[in-house]
Amino acid sequence: QDLIRMWGVNTDKVVGYDDEDLYVQSGGHLWFLTHQQEYSKYPLSVARRIHEKMGAKTSVATAHNHQWAVGMAPNGQDYLLETGGLFDCSKMAYLNRGGSTTYPVQSSGFWIIREGKPYVP
């Protein structure tokens, strides 16, 4: 809510929430946006599991994975989305200490949902 107020937005089409999960209706399509509490190094696997838990007719966009990916849910109608992040990986100390890891390179970036579909700006 504070972010919406800082932007000076005064419309009933934009609502701020003090929660890490929210639903957004866009282009007749329902989206569930979440900063979930789990992580997977396999792209879209967390979004897929959340979609399965919620049932069909809802696209899922996840944060926290620091990966950037888009795909379709098994029903072929809903989107699965990993939103990346607005960060500079070179400034994240724990990523630059060296050593081996099997985790993927983190991705900076973001998506825009327009008319129910994800777009790269």
Side-chain angles (χ1 to χ4, degrees):
Q1 289 178 351
D2 291 337
L3 182 60
I4 300 300
R5 282 191 289 273
M6 286 184 341
W7 287 343
V9 174
N10 185 17
T11 176
D12 60 355
K13 292 184 179 183
V14 179
V15 180
Y17 296 92
D18 291 324
D19 194 344
E20 293 189 0
D21 298 334
L22 62 115
Y23 289 91
V24 172
Q25 187 79 29
S26 173
H29 201 88
L30 183 62
W31 281 84
F32 178 65
L33 311 177
T34 182
H35 186 267
Q36 76 286 349
Q37 296 182 7
E38 64 180 292
Y39 171 83
S40 174
K41 61 184 176 181
Y42 303 106
L44 301 175
S45 63
V46 174
R48 185 174 296 111
R49 287 194 308 270
I50 291 170
H51 181 268
E52 289 168 0
K53 183 177 178 181
M54 296 181 70
K57 305 274 188 198
T58 304
S59 292
V60 176
T62 64
H64 186 81
N65 289 334
H66 293 201
Q67 298 179 75
W68 201 61
V70 64
M72 298 302 291
N75 68 3
Q77 297 175 349
D78 300 322
Y79 290 96
L80 303 175
L81 189 65
E82 288 184 354
T83 59
L86 298 176
F87 50 80
D88 181 349
C89 294
S90 69
K91 307 255 187 299
M92 299 173 81
Y94 73 96
L95 294 177
N96 297 291
R97 289 190 183 132
S100 298
T101 180
T102 61
Y103 285 97
V105 174
Q106 293 189 10
S107 299
S108 181
F110 64 97
W111 296 89
I112 292 175
I113 297 170
R114 184 176 7 178
E115 297 301 317
K117 298 179 182 175
Y119 288 93
V120 177

